[in-house]
Amino acid sequence: MATLSPPRRVLSVRRHLWVVLSLERELDCRQSRPPISLQGSEAEDRVKRDGGVSDSECRPDSGVPEVPVATDDTPEVLNKALSGLSSRWKNWWVRGILTLAMISFFFFIIYLGPMVLMMIVSIKCFHEIITIGYSVYHSYHLPWFRTLSWYFLLCVNYFFYGETVTDYFFTLVQREEPLRILSKYHRFISFTLYLTGFCMFVLSLVKKHYRLQFYMFGWTHVTLLIVVTQSHLIIHNLFEGMIWFIVPISCVICNDIMAYMFGFFFGRTPLIKLSPKKTWEGFIGGFFSTVVFGILLSYVMSGYRYFVCPVEFNNDSNSFTVDCEPSELFQLQDYTLPSVLQSITGWSTVKLFPFQIHSIALSAFASIMGPFGGFFASGFKRAFKIKDFANTIPGHGGIMDRFDCQYLMATFVNVYIASFIRGPNPTKVIQQLLALRPDQQLHIYNSLKAHLTERGLLATQEEAA
Amino acid sequence: PLNLSHAQRHKRPSTTLYLLCAYAHSCVWSPQEADGQDRLGLHGEGEADMEGECKAHTPDMPPGDGNTPQCLNRALEGLSSRWKNWWIRGILSLTMITGFFLIIYLGPLMLIFVVMSIQIKCFQEIITIGYRVYHSYELPWFRTLSWYFLICVNYFFYGETVADYFGALVRREEPLQFLVRYHRFISFTLYLAGFCMFVLSLVKKHYRLQFYMFAWTHVTLLIVVTQSHLVIQNLFEGMIWFIVPISTVICNDIMAYLFGFFFGRTPLIKLSPKKTWEGFIGGFFSTVVFSFLFAYLLSQYQYFVCPVEYNSETNRFTVECEPSDLFVMQEYTLPATAQNLLRWKTVNLYPFQIHSIALSTFASLIGPFGGFFASGFKRAFKIKDFADTIPGHGGIMDRFDCQYLMATFVHVYIASFIRGPNPSKVLQQLLALQPEQQLSIFNTLRNHLREKGMLPPAVGLKV
């Protein structure tokens, strides 16, 4: 940490300064050169946009130089296979192949169990955003900071997953002694872990780098807020039933693809200055096709128990089971069509799963609000002058690029379920009941008995309490 | 929107000059720079010269004593500058402490109101610093958006609190019922509207600034609003859970300062050169003793000890109840060593006093880290105080910086060690379940109570 004597420190600062200045001079008002790899038609319009930069934007904000441009990362095999085609179509094919690969991978993971997927994705997203922070602030060599970022990620993940495990694996937890103690004092332990990280941060503050360190601290926390809470909510939705995980994500992906297609074939009126390639035709076309897709997909999926039942942990077999009596939401019901539709289609009633009605709400949200998540990420990339979050997926950029539209979707689905679908979780209620004091339990017992007797669910029994 | 002319834009000092200034400034930052303890006395001389050239990024906060009321100035004009500041700080400290007790006397509703106003003021102070640091005061929409997010998050948190604690009132009024049932959805929609407004307000030249301010706002909300919300939750457990932690932190501040002033020798941490180990340890022991005695004093009164409840008939807050085990005097057998020392066999204590030792230990050991964090923050952004609200002390945030973690700690402590779940909330959830689920829970509960002997055992056939 503070081991350099002052003169040497100033020298390294000066060297630092020189690097910054030379980067700045290079960047200052030059015509933006095309990025090294043209990855998809989006890159072309990025060139067009950046080319129009005026001189006042050329000067970056004080003290914050730009991130070097991403390089071409397409694997050799694909390059060889597509060497004949022109550059534009080659990129189209690369993107297409990778898209198909990702979708198949997605279904494969669904078959295996999505929790692992979510954990890996969230860790990778966190890593990508933090790396951008390092590049933006040249803070890669800040003492302790890499350790601290990962430590905070671990803490917050521990807290959230601990809560989930306590909720859903209640009986397993009660059986094992160490797990029981961990879950009883879970909040206290998580808080202590976080505090340790906080104290380490304060102790690691170095005289010359206060502002940088605070920036990175803030950056880490905002990233945690976005990435970890979203992934946690996705897991919550998953436990409600895999359909609540699959349908929202598929709707967002479908909206992406459909809006792109409609924009490609019919696009004319630009939608927003932030993303010049988006068009109103793409937006509206994407909206309607996503709604239709959502209805059809939920029709297909509602028939299978594997997707519809809440994931539960069976204590006897020590494994996850998805076996249950499907709730009302997933049973075919007759709906009378309004007269307008009756005259068009000639049917008087139609059989639908109630879930399909909900899926209309989900896909409407995905089409209307999902793009805002995309604009947010575009603005972020413009602000920090990066083309992609990372280079993990050739043709598509980093993991964050694929998941940017999903930001708000997971939260929306979770809030939707909590508000309109699900009541409280019975296991959780029992848990809380058993934690009360005996006199409170007795009081609740009597109230519940009165309530159930009123409802006629309890026959009058011989033993009156 | 920023309408600076071309010439005006290029009049600002270039990046190079800023960087040179910043590095030079931090190199000559004198170790005697005012810290948390003696702000007015030691206004660094070197600072004034640097400030002139480095206007670009160094917000220029005027010194605090410009804000002292005229009457105080006149009364103290005979004294030397150092003692004058000592007196100003002392008088203001006493005023604040008296104000604190007065508000407690006025009741829980007033306390909630005060906590909310403090929260709003802290938020405003931090956001103002952000504007100055980034010169983003004229960013389109941004002031509106920051306040809008503050209102959203507050609405979410206070809505949850109201739904929990004022269940009876809520069930009476029809519009409140609707708001409570769909509370999360409504809050989320409000937040989304703010998010969309932010995205739509992105202006080509100012993307980075706008993202910085967005993040700044969110981190501030995370710190300020969650803390104040937890303070209110603690308050509802019983005013003692609000008063004792806050008094402990204040006492630690004062005691550490006094011990440091009279006995201070070994510096504690490079970040705050005025803090000493003697002050730290002396503050620790005196705080533990203080809170022990203070807890004893407060545990006797129902007004402090009982959970705050809302009486639906009289439409007021009531603090009346049977004190829980925690606040009933119990006899403890002293360990043998203490017995030899004091020649008492047993001692009468409230169990709460044992808990207060834990609280005061936390306040003395970890509380200062909150203060170091705030000092580091002020050094990082080269400001002397958060604001000038209180003469002699700086802004509201300066007074509350050590409380950051205390409120969260008390809340987590209560949740883990003291309180079980809230029975009325559990009943509420029970009544919201499906009938079959209710039946199965009923049977489980009945068996459990039978095992415990609270219910007579089953006679005859099992149902």
Side-chain angles (χ1 to χ4, degrees):
Chain A
M1 287 183 242
T3 52
L4 294 175
S5 60
R8 275 186 72 192
R9 207 182 218 176
V10 170
L11 183 61
S12 72
V13 156
R14 283 213 199 109
R15 205 181 324 133
H16 211 157
L17 205 57
W18 182 84
V19 169
V20 166
L21 288 178
S22 54
L23 260 182
E24 186 193 332
R25 242 177 279 130
E26 222 192 298
L27 161 69
D28 236 344
C29 301
R30 81 188 138 108
Q31 292 302 315
S32 66
R33 51 180 166 77
I36 295 173
S37 72
L38 284 177
Q39 292 175 351
S41 45
E42 277 181 52
E44 296 173 357
D45 55 89
R46 275 182 230 263
V47 171
K48 271 189 248 153
R49 289 196 298 269
D50 290 351
V53 132
S54 73
D55 24 280
S56 56
E57 203 196 3
C58 291
R59 182 171 44 90
D61 289 1
S62 341
V64 188
E66 77 154 35
V67 175
V69 168
T71 54
D72 188 2
D73 217 25
T74 330
E76 264 313 299
V77 54
L78 277 178
N79 261 329
K80 257 188 276 140
L82 303 165
S83 49
L85 302 165
S86 84
S87 151
R88 184 163 187 224
W89 283 106
K90 172 179 171 188
N91 297 317
W92 221 89
W93 272 104
V94 170
R95 277 178 76 89
I97 290 175
L98 261 307
T99 310
L100 282 173
M102 285 195 298
I103 293 181
S104 338
F105 185 63
F106 179 54
F107 281 112
F108 179 62
I109 293 282
I110 298 275
Y111 178 70
L112 277 186
M115 221 164 114
V116 174
L117 169 76
M118 288 323 303
M119 284 182 71
I120 296 177
V121 165
S122 78
I123 292 178
K124 194 73 181 73
C125 288
F126 182 79
H127 177 68
E128 283 177 13
I129 301 185
I130 291 286
T131 313
I132 291 175
Y134 293 150
S135 318
V136 168
Y137 291 112
H138 281 279
S139 59
Y140 201 70
H141 305 286
L142 263 189
W144 282 87
F145 210 78
R146 273 173 287 164
T147 323
L148 272 176
S149 310
W150 288 104
Y151 180 80
F152 279 127
L153 175 70
L154 265 170
C155 277
V156 180
N157 267 326
Y158 173 76
F159 173 67
F160 278 126
Y161 285 100
E163 299 255 315
T164 314
V165 163
T166 316
D167 279 349
Y168 289 100
F169 301 114
F170 181 59
T171 11
L172 170 71
V173 166
Q174 292 295 87
R175 257 193 335 209
E176 311 282 338
E177 187 57 31
L179 282 187
R180 209 167 57 82
I181 297 184
L182 277 183
S183 87
K184 193 159 139 74
Y185 298 109
H186 176 70
R187 285 195 179 183
F188 193 72
I189 296 173
S190 320
F191 183 64
T192 320
L193 290 176
Y194 177 80
L195 265 191
T196 320
F198 183 83
C199 294
M200 288 201 298
F201 169 71
V202 172
L203 291 172
S204 79
L205 287 175
V206 174
K207 193 161 175 173
K208 303 281 161 52
H209 305 296
Y210 288 150
R211 196 183 293 221
L212 261 187
Q213 290 180 294
F214 271 94
Y215 279 160
M216 290 312 295
F217 187 76
W219 189 286
T220 307
H221 277 71
V222 176
T223 312
L224 283 174
L225 197 72
I226 295 179
V227 172
V228 177
T229 45
Q230 298 293 320
S231 73
H232 173 67
L233 290 174
I234 290 182
I235 303 257
H236 255 287
N237 297 342
L238 186 79
F239 274 102
E240 286 295 313
M242 303 240 274
I243 200 173
W244 291 104
F245 169 74
I246 298 175
V247 167
I249 292 187
S250 318
C251 283
V252 174
I253 295 175
C254 168
N255 185 60
D256 257 354
I257 297 175
M258 287 298 160
Y260 179 71
M261 296 280 188
F262 274 85
F264 189 77
F265 290 117
F266 307 114
R268 213 154 317 172
T269 347
L271 180 61
I272 188 174
K273 261 198 310 228
L274 192 51
S275 295
K277 270 260 153 179
K278 310 267 175 171
T279 56
W280 276 102
E281 289 84 7
F283 185 68
I284 296 179
F287 173 70
F288 283 111
S289 47
T290 308
V291 170
V292 169
F293 171 79
I295 293 181
L296 295 174
L297 181 70
S298 38
Y299 179 76
V300 167
M301 290 204 152
S302 300
Y304 298 93
R305 276 204 192 159
Y306 183 70
F307 297 123
V308 153
C309 291
V311 175
E312 275 171 25
F313 186 76
N314 193 332
N315 325 308
D316 312 310
S317 62
N318 263 1
S319 67
F320 288 99
T321 49
V322 258
D323 211 7
C324 68
E325 197 57 45
S327 82
E328 292 165 352
L329 220 49
F330 302 102
Q331 288 172 1
L332 272 177
Q333 287 181 16
D334 274 329
Y335 286 91
T336 342
L337 286 177
S339 40
V340 172
L341 285 176
Q342 271 189 19
S343 30
I344 300 180
T345 51
W347 296 328
S348 53
T349 63
V350 65
K351 277 187 167 336
L352 283 181
F353 292 102
F355 181 72
Q356 291 181 275
I357 319 276
H358 291 294
S359 80
I360 296 180
L362 295 181
S363 39
F365 182 85
S367 323
I368 298 179
M369 293 305 301
F372 275 94
F375 300 151
F376 186 81
S378 297
F380 182 82
K381 286 188 278 193
R382 298 287 183 84
F384 296 101
K385 301 202 185 355
I386 55 180
K387 199 169 88 58
D388 283 322
F389 279 93
N391 284 104
T392 325
I393 312 177
H396 284 271
I399 301 269
M400 273 307 280
D401 287 300
R402 288 302 93 210
F403 283 85
D404 57 13
C405 298
Q406 309 266 3
Y407 286 166
L408 304 163
M409 192 70 199
T411 322
F412 176 76
V413 174
N414 190 280
V415 170
Y416 190 86
I417 294 179
S419 305
F420 299 112
I421 313 274
R422 168 179 61 135
N425 186 6
T427 353
K428 205 167 174 189
V429 177
I430 294 190
Q431 223 183 330
Q432 291 181 325
L433 260 183
L434 297 175
L436 287 173
R437 289 200 308 260
D439 53 313
Q440 293 169 322
Q441 287 174 344
L442 197 59
H443 171 72
I444 290 186
Y445 172 79
N446 290 328
S447 318
L448 186 59
K449 189 160 117 158
H451 175 81
L452 287 175
T453 324
E454 245 181 274
R455 286 270 200 108
L457 290 164
L458 263 187
T460 33
Q461 296 149 10
E462 291 120 82
E463 69 270 309
Chain B
L2 282 177
N3 280 329
L4 296 175
S5 73
H6 191 82
Q8 265 177 306
R9 251 178 283 156
H10 283 267
K11 243 193 194 156
R12 287 160 66 177
S14 76
T15 320
T16 326
L17 187 56
Y18 149 70
L19 281 169
L20 272 174
C21 276
Y23 284 118
H25 204 171
S26 52
C27 282
V28 304
W29 194 260
S30 84
Q32 278 134 15
E33 177 263 344
D35 162 56
Q37 300 295 336
D38 205 1
R39 284 191 188 89
L40 293 179
L42 303 176
H43 190 59
E45 275 82 39
E47 215 177 281
D49 308 330
M50 286 292 160
E51 288 287 358
E53 282 136 60
C54 299
K55 274 280 197 251
H57 237 77
T58 330
D60 211 358
M61 306 272 316
D65 50 18
N67 212 1
T68 330
Q70 267 309 311
C71 53
L72 275 179
N73 262 330
R74 255 183 287 129
L76 302 166
E77 59 190 0
L79 303 165
S80 83
S81 158
R82 182 156 191 234
W83 283 107
K84 175 176 173 188
N85 297 321
W86 221 88
W87 272 104
I88 290 180
R89 279 177 75 88
I91 291 175
L92 260 307
S93 305
L94 282 174
T95 317
M96 288 196 291
I97 292 177
T98 322
F100 181 51
F101 282 113
L102 184 69
I103 292 172
I104 291 177
Y105 177 72
L106 286 177
L109 196 59
M110 198 60 193
L111 270 173
I112 295 179
F113 182 70
V114 167
V115 169
M116 272 189 79
S117 3
I118 290 178
Q119 172 211 102
I120 293 178
K121 193 74 182 69
C122 287
F123 182 79
Q124 194 212 15
E125 283 178 11
I126 301 185
I127 290 285
T128 313
I129 292 175
Y131 292 150
R132 276 194 218 175
V133 169
Y134 292 112
H135 285 277
S136 62
Y137 201 70
E138 284 92 26
L139 263 190
W141 281 88
F142 211 79
R143 271 171 288 165
T144 321
L145 272 176
S146 310
W147 288 105
Y148 179 80
F149 280 126
L150 177 69
I151 294 176
C152 275
V153 180
N154 268 324
Y155 174 75
F156 173 65
F157 278 126
Y158 285 98
E160 300 249 325
T161 316
V162 164
D164 279 349
Y165 289 102
F166 300 112
L169 170 71
V170 166
R171 258 172 257 140
R172 258 189 343 207
E173 311 282 337
E174 187 56 35
L176 281 187
Q177 257 197 24
F178 176 76
L179 281 181
V180 162
R181 206 174 125 80
Y182 298 109
H183 176 70
R184 286 199 178 179
F185 194 72
I186 296 174
S187 320
F188 184 64
T189 319
L190 289 175
Y191 177 81
L192 268 190
F195 183 83
C196 293
M197 287 200 298
F198 170 72
V199 172
L200 291 172
S201 79
L202 288 174
V203 173
K204 189 163 177 171
K205 307 278 162 55
H206 306 295
Y207 289 148
R208 195 182 296 218
L209 262 186
Q210 290 179 294
F211 272 93
Y212 279 161
M213 288 313 295
F214 187 74
W216 189 286
T217 307
H218 278 69
V219 176
T220 313
L221 282 174
L222 197 71
I223 296 179
V224 171
V225 177
T226 44
Q227 297 292 319
S228 77
H229 174 66
L230 292 174
V231 165
I232 302 249
Q233 291 252 5
N234 297 342
L235 183 81
F236 273 101
E237 285 295 314
M239 304 239 279
I240 200 173
W241 291 105
F242 170 76
I243 298 173
V244 167
I246 291 188
S247 324
T248 315
V249 173
I250 295 175
C251 167
N252 185 60
D253 256 355
I254 298 176
M255 288 296 162
Y257 178 69
L258 288 176
F259 273 86
F261 189 76
F262 289 119
F263 308 114
R265 214 153 314 172
T266 345
L268 180 62
I269 187 176
K270 260 196 314 224
L271 190 53
S272 295
K274 273 258 154 184
K275 309 263 178 178
T276 56
W277 275 102
E278 290 83 7
F280 186 68
I281 295 179
F284 171 66
F285 283 112
S286 49
T287 308
V288 170
V289 169
F290 166 79
S291 71
F292 196 75
L293 298 172
F294 195 52
Y296 177 78
L297 188 64
L298 287 184
S299 301
Q300 298 162 10
Y301 299 94
Q302 267 191 7
Y303 183 69
F304 296 120
V305 152
C306 291
V308 176
E309 275 171 26
Y310 184 77
N311 194 331
S312 20
E313 285 113 48
T314 60
N315 266 1
R316 293 179 56 225
F317 285 97
T318 50
V319 259
E320 248 175 52
C321 65
E322 196 57 45
S324 79
D325 293 333
L326 222 49
F327 302 103
V328 171
M329 242 210 237
Q330 288 181 15
E331 280 199 44
Y332 288 91
T333 340
L334 286 176
T337 46
Q339 272 190 18
N340 295 338
L341 271 173
L342 300 166
R343 262 179 255 125
W344 292 332
K345 285 241 188 59
T346 64
V347 66
N348 278 332
L349 284 179
Y350 291 103
F352 180 70
Q353 292 182 274
I354 319 276
H355 291 294
S356 78
I357 297 180
L359 295 181
S360 47
T361 314
F362 181 85
S364 323
L365 294 179
I366 310 283
F369 277 94
F372 299 149
F373 187 83
S375 296
F377 182 83
K378 286 188 279 194
R379 298 284 185 87
F381 296 102
K382 310 222 184 332
I383 54 182
K384 200 163 91 46
D385 283 323
F386 279 93
D388 280 307
T389 324
I390 311 177
H393 285 272
I396 301 268
M397 273 304 280
D398 288 300
R399 286 302 89 214
F400 285 87
D401 55 18
C402 297
Q403 310 265 7
Y404 286 167
L405 305 164
M406 192 71 197
T408 321
F409 177 76
V410 173
H411 183 85
V412 170
Y413 190 86
I414 294 178
S416 304
F417 298 112
I418 314 273
R419 166 179 63 136
N422 188 3
S424 42
K425 199 172 175 186
V426 177
L427 190 57
Q428 225 178 355
Q429 289 183 323
L430 260 182
L431 296 174
L433 288 171
Q434 308 279 9
E436 317 82 60
Q437 294 168 321
Q438 286 176 344
L439 254 181
S440 87
I441 290 184
F442 178 75
N443 288 327
T444 320
L445 186 60
R446 186 169 57 182
N447 293 334
H448 177 80
L449 285 175
R450 280 206 184 122
E451 267 173 61
K452 282 225 170 174
M454 304 278 306
L455 277 183
V459 174
L461 299 166
K462 280 181 92 163
V463 182

